[in-house]
Amino acid sequence: MGKFNSNKKVYRVDPLGLGPMDDEDDNNNNNGNNFIMNDNLSSGIQDPLKLLEMIDSPETTERDFAFRTVSEFVLDHPSFVTKLSEKVNLLKVMAHLSDPDVQVRVSAIGTFRNLTIVKEDIVQSLIDIDIVTSLISILFNSLNMIKGCEEKEMKSSKLIEEQHVLIQTLALLTNLIELSEKLFKRLSDCIAPSLVTLFNIILKHQLFVGELIFTISEFLSIITEDNVEICKTIPQELLTALFQLVKESPNMSLKLKTMTSITLFNVGSLYSRDLVIQGITPLLLSCFNFTPIQALKELKDMVDQTQVVREQYEKEEKEKEEKELAAINKNAGADENMDQDKEMVEDVMAYSNNNNGEKKKKVKTGEILDEMEKKLKNSIDLWKENLSALQSSIEIFTNILSFEEENGTPQDNPYDDDDKFLDVEDGNTSNNNNEELSSIGKFLSTTTLCQNLVVFITSISDIDLSAIAKSCPELVSNLVLLKVIYKRSITCLSNLLILYIPKDNALQQTLWDLLVKIAGHSITTSFDSEVIEMTTSSLWSIMRFNPSIGFTKDSEVKSLIELGAKSPSSVKTNLIGIIGISGQNGFCQPILGEIGMFLLQCLNKDEPAEIISEALNSIFDVFAESPINTIFNQLNMLQHLEAFVPVIRNKIKLEKKKLDRSLLDRLDESRINLTRFISYKKSQK
């Protein structure tokens, strides 16, 4: 929960993010060139494979350089990744996890970390060479050195180095356990005794070693998810202390608070799930105070302004070069005449004087540019940090709502027991009643979660992110992240609307308009079936709750029929439900024949059970009334339905052991109602 593969951070040459603790440590850290960032290490390497020879050099400096460069090559050279993934080379790198030089150890771990990001299927190869045994040993050693240390000790060079090692080790383990259930189980068994130590490091040092604490928090959020046994090892008083820290600490970043909240949710659910959710919800909702689109526009303005200064700087550099060239040419063409020599000298001196002014101007422009680029980078980092907090918040709510849907009794479940043809006066089925919600459902229905999601989703759907990406390449990674969270927020909203529909009519209409817009855009552009499934499910939920909201034109319903004919089963089921409700309205009278034909086509033994069940229910609702019998008879619907009775019986018999119990019950209910509906229609003649 709370972690997206597309948002994984990669290892870079100086990965800590801790920064110098003070001036003395800053000087110490740079001794031997161990902690100097160099983004261009690989630029001069012609044969990357030679690096695999250099990593075994007896010279520390060469090993250091080789591993720094190897870790960068993993990210940018697919052919090198293929070579590195060979067992012999993986073993060579793994041997340096215990290298006597700390930076070599860090870079070796970082190399594996990057490898798990660019080549996820490498995990089996890493299992085969038993990398986890080495990582667990490194982890325990680092924890033993750090636990119990005071703030002053944590700032020492030795422990700063150990933090480097611990950060990369935990980050790599996090990646591995997300990719392998086998490793997840193994690490859970091994790490349990040290889990309390990780919690205590957060409680003790959260104010001044942020990158380490965030890495620990991220690891805990993954290792505690759906892991009852390991969660039991956390004392309740430790969990309470962590909650108080998250709730009251004025210096803890929102990003760290939300990441820590995931662990609170995972572990706290063993004690009092409802209380934990109610406790962390105000914090999670506060993440929505960040408005990413407004901040993105401000970033774009900063990019544009920086570009203007950059162009001015480049223009001044070019003018300087041209003047220098002109002076040289003039000097070369001077003759032996003293007057001409004198004139030339005067010209050169004049240029020199002017050039001093240009140099001052250049320095000034260069300083301005440096300052603007630094400010832009800081603003982008802050934007990502705030969005990361929002990301975690949305992910937690998504999982809470999913749990409620699976374990509660939501009234808006498309497969409830009320959607029967005999309810001919109200074929739209039951209304959602918040009094029947679970305690968490009731609680969330009183919060601003729905409104917050609507505002967030609307803000993104109203802006052309592609246009921003084209004009500002610097922001592409930001936009990719935003798009991922946008889609996840739609999932969160969909889960919410399955659980309950807000009672406010204006909000219901806003939801309807927004979801139709998103679905329409996805259908006409990328045809993202996942987005279409979520939006159509939500539209169906709204229509079931409030029949006065929905489609109003027969052309719209015809489009749904056309879409349903080519959609995957999950989307098709939702569309059948929507068509079944819409078909009961008067504006659909001209196309009832098309609706009936579509629903009959869905009655096929090869169709999934949910499609058959919903198609029958929609037929029951749309064609129950006697005034519809003319079209009903024109379609020979009674004969089709009678012929389908043995088909559905046989399908239930054949798939009895394959289907989920609730879906099997639903299909059997549809079978019973089918025979009753046939008798009912015969009685109308």
Side-chain angles (χ1 to χ4, degrees):
M1 180 197 298
K3 186 167 171 59
F4 295 79
N5 289 343
S6 59
N7 193 30
K8 285 182 178 176
K9 294 175 65 177
V10 299
Y11 165 84
R12 289 294 182 184
V13 174
D14 185 15
L16 279 183
L18 296 173
M21 294 300 183
D22 51 42
D23 292 338
E24 180 181 354
D25 285 328
D26 187 29
N27 293 330
N28 291 338
N29 287 346
N30 284 296
N31 288 341
N33 197 33
N34 277 342
F35 301 105
I36 298 177
M37 173 68 78
N38 183 352
D39 290 329
N40 299 309
L41 281 174
S42 61
S43 60
I45 302 296
Q46 300 300 318
D47 183 5
L49 299 184
K50 288 185 177 180
L51 292 169
L52 297 178
E53 300 175 6
M54 292 177 62
I55 63 176
D56 288 330
S57 170
E59 296 294 328
T60 299
T61 303
E62 287 190 9
R63 294 200 311 278
D64 183 14
F65 171 80
F67 266 108
R68 288 166 177 254
T69 313
V70 164
S71 63
E72 297 289 332
F73 262 80
V74 169
L75 297 173
D76 302 318
H77 296 73
S79 60
F80 180 71
V81 170
T82 301
K83 186 67 177 177
L84 181 63
S85 301
E86 295 176 2
K87 183 175 181 179
V88 62
N89 291 324
L90 292 177
L91 288 170
K92 286 182 69 173
V93 175
M94 191 173 77
H96 291 280
L97 296 182
S98 57
D99 195 281
D101 182 78
V102 66
Q103 184 58 50
V104 173
R105 295 203 302 273
V106 169
S107 294
I109 301 170
T111 297
F112 283 125
R113 177 182 176 184
N114 286 349
L115 194 57
T116 60
I117 293 175
V118 301
K119 184 178 171 60
E120 292 188 354
D121 59 358
I122 195 65
V123 64
Q124 186 56 51
S125 298
L126 297 180
I127 291 175
D128 292 341
I129 64 173
D130 195 21
I131 192 175
V132 176
T133 296
S134 298
L135 293 175
I136 291 174
S137 175
I138 294 169
L139 176 65
F140 288 167
N141 182 66
S142 296
L143 289 178
N144 287 334
M145 290 185 66
I146 289 177
K147 68 179 182 181
C149 292
E150 299 300 326
E151 178 178 348
K152 186 175 181 180
E153 296 173 289
M154 291 288 282
K155 291 181 178 181
S156 68
S157 296
K158 186 173 181 60
L159 286 188
I160 288 175
E161 290 178 350
E162 212 55 50
Q163 291 173 54
H164 280 246
V165 174
L166 185 55
I167 286 173
Q168 297 311 316
T169 303
L170 284 172
L172 174 55
L173 286 171
T174 299
N175 290 354
L176 289 173
I177 61 178
E178 283 193 302
L179 295 172
S180 170
E181 282 292 330
K182 181 179 179 180
L183 289 183
F184 182 91
K185 179 66 171 63
R186 179 182 173 188
L187 188 61
S188 295
D189 295 338
C190 295
I191 196 66
S194 297
L195 217 60
V196 171
T197 300
L198 291 173
F199 269 81
N200 282 325
I201 290 175
I202 295 177
L203 292 170
K204 192 170 186 179
H205 300 299
Q206 56 88 21
L207 295 182
F208 61 92
V209 283
E211 184 66 17
L212 172 61
I213 299 305
F214 185 82
T215 305
I216 292 175
S217 297
E218 187 175 40
F219 174 78
L220 289 175
S221 72
I222 302 300
I223 200 68
T224 58
E225 183 177 359
D226 296 327
N227 197 342
V228 174
E229 292 305 315
I230 205 168
C231 288
K232 287 179 179 178
T233 66
I234 304 301
Q236 188 170 356
E237 58 271 19
L238 199 61
L239 194 69
T240 302
L242 184 60
F243 174 72
Q244 291 300 321
L245 177 68
V246 170
K247 181 181 178 182
E248 299 174 1
S249 175
N251 299 311
M252 181 183 282
S253 71
L254 195 58
K255 176 183 177 181
L256 181 54
K257 285 186 176 184
T258 51
M259 181 57 69
T260 307
S261 294
I262 298 174
T263 303
L264 288 172
F265 174 69
N266 291 341
V267 182
S269 295
L270 293 179
Y271 298 105
S272 177
R273 185 174 182 276
D274 289 8
L275 287 178
V276 171
I277 292 173
Q278 292 173 20
I280 64 177
T281 290
L283 168 65
L284 301 179
L285 290 176
S286 70
C287 295
F288 285 94
N289 293 333
F290 172 61
T291 53
I293 295 302
Q294 179 59 39
L296 191 64
K297 291 177 179 178
E298 294 172 0
L299 286 179
K300 184 180 182 302
D301 290 340
M302 292 178 66
V303 169
D304 293 340
Q305 293 167 12
T306 303
Q307 183 59 29
V308 170
V309 177
R310 186 179 294 114
E311 290 173 356
Q312 177 62 30
Y313 175 74
E314 292 171 353
K315 179 182 177 182
E316 292 172 3
E317 286 287 283
K318 184 177 180 180
E319 289 176 351
K320 177 192 173 213
E321 291 175 1
E322 289 174 349
K323 289 179 179 179
E324 288 177 343
L325 182 60
I328 292 172
N329 290 337
K330 191 170 185 179
N331 182 37
D335 57 29
E336 298 178 357
N337 186 285
M338 294 298 295
D339 291 336
Q340 289 178 327
D341 287 344
K342 182 178 180 181
E343 182 181 349
M344 180 203 70
V345 172
E346 290 174 350
D347 286 343
V348 172
M349 291 299 294
Y351 166 73
S352 178
N353 291 333
N354 289 335
N355 189 47
N356 287 334
E358 290 293 329
K359 185 176 181 181
K360 291 179 181 178
K361 187 175 182 181
K362 172 211 163 185
V363 171
K364 183 178 180 182
T365 306
E367 289 176 350
I368 293 173
L369 179 60
D370 289 344
E371 185 63 29
M372 293 182 73
E373 289 179 337
K374 181 179 178 181
K375 184 177 179 181
L376 175 61
K377 181 183 182 303
N378 291 339
S379 297
I380 290 176
D381 290 343
L382 180 60
W383 187 92
K384 287 183 177 179
E385 180 173 316
N386 288 330
L387 192 64
S388 177
L390 181 57
Q391 176 184 18
S392 296
S393 175
I394 290 172
E395 186 69 12
I396 295 173
F397 279 127
T398 300
N399 281 272
I400 290 172
L401 293 166
S402 179
F403 179 89
E404 291 298 311
E405 178 189 347
E406 293 173 1
N407 297 278
T409 55
Q411 297 69 47
D412 203 31
N413 190 321
Y415 304 111
D416 57 27
D417 293 329
D418 296 323
D419 192 13
K420 298 180 180 179
F421 78 93
L422 289 179
D423 190 11
V424 294
E425 294 184 357
D426 185 13
N428 298 307
T429 74
S430 66
N431 277 346
N432 164 308
N433 182 355
N434 285 349
E435 292 183 358
E436 298 178 19
L437 289 172
S438 66
S439 58
I440 288 302
K442 290 179 183 179
F443 169 71
L444 291 177
S445 70
T446 65
T447 70
T448 60
L449 177 58
C450 186
Q451 293 93 324
N452 291 144
L453 288 169
V454 168
V455 171
F456 175 72
I457 295 170
T458 301
S459 68
I460 299 174
S461 61
D462 285 342
I463 193 169
D464 188 350
L465 298 181
S466 298
I468 296 178
K470 290 178 181 178
S471 62
C472 299
E474 299 95 328
L475 302 180
V476 168
S477 62
N478 299 43
L479 299 175
V480 170
L481 176 59
L482 185 59
K483 198 70 175 179
V484 170
I485 301 175
Y486 166 72
K487 187 172 180 178
R488 195 59 174 164
S489 65
I490 295 174
T491 303
C492 186
L493 181 61
S494 177
N495 288 357
L496 179 66
L497 296 180
I498 289 175
L499 188 65
Y500 77 93
I501 304 294
K503 293 182 178 180
D504 181 79
N505 289 334
L507 181 54
Q508 291 174 19
Q509 188 63 54
T510 298
L511 283 165
W512 176 269
D513 294 340
L514 175 61
L515 292 165
V516 168
K517 177 181 177 181
I518 294 171
H521 181 265
S522 183
I523 291 169
T524 57
T525 54
S526 60
F527 201 87
D528 188 325
S529 59
E530 185 179 355
V531 170
I532 298 173
E533 177 187 351
M534 291 184 292
T535 51
T536 53
S537 173
S538 299
L539 291 170
W540 188 15
S541 295
I542 295 173
M543 293 178 72
R544 290 165 65 84
F545 180 75
N546 186 352
S548 65
I549 293 181
F551 295 102
T552 58
K553 299 177 182 178
D554 61 357
S555 59
E556 295 173 330
V557 179
K558 287 182 68 173
S559 296
L560 296 179
I561 293 173
E562 294 173 2
L563 179 63
K566 61 182 181 182
S567 294
S569 299
S570 55
V571 175
K572 191 173 185 177
T573 303
N574 296 336
L575 294 173
I576 292 170
I578 292 172
I579 292 168
I581 297 176
S582 300
Q584 300 171 65
N585 295 312
F587 69 85
C588 279
Q589 287 290 323
I591 61 168
L592 281 180
E594 295 175 63
I595 291 175
M597 286 295 296
F598 170 69
L599 295 176
L600 285 175
Q601 290 168 3
C602 296
L603 300 183
N604 185 301
K605 65 181 179 65
D606 295 326
E607 290 283 8
E610 56 266 30
I611 288 181
I612 291 174
S613 180
E614 198 53 49
L616 285 172
N617 293 331
S618 292
I619 288 174
F620 301 158
D621 289 338
V622 174
F623 294 95
E625 300 281 7
S626 54
I628 309 298
N629 283 347
T630 300
I631 299 174
F632 184 84
N633 294 330
Q634 289 174 354
L635 294 172
N636 293 320
M637 191 169 281
L638 186 60
Q639 291 88 330
H640 285 295
L641 294 178
E642 287 180 322
F644 193 69
V645 171
V647 175
I648 191 172
R649 285 175 177 168
N650 192 49
K651 187 173 184 67
I652 292 173
K653 182 179 179 181
L654 292 175
E655 300 188 11
K656 188 173 183 179
K657 295 182 179 180
K658 300 178 183 178
L659 294 176
D660 177 79
R661 182 65 194 181
S662 62
L663 184 55
L664 181 65
D665 290 345
R666 179 67 173 173
L667 189 62
D668 192 48
E669 179 189 277
S670 296
R671 176 191 63 80
I672 295 171
N673 282 346
L674 174 59
T675 57
R676 296 168 68 193
F677 183 76
I678 291 171
S679 300
Y680 173 74
K681 293 305 289 185
K682 286 181 177 179
S683 70
Q684 290 181 343
K685 292 185 176 180

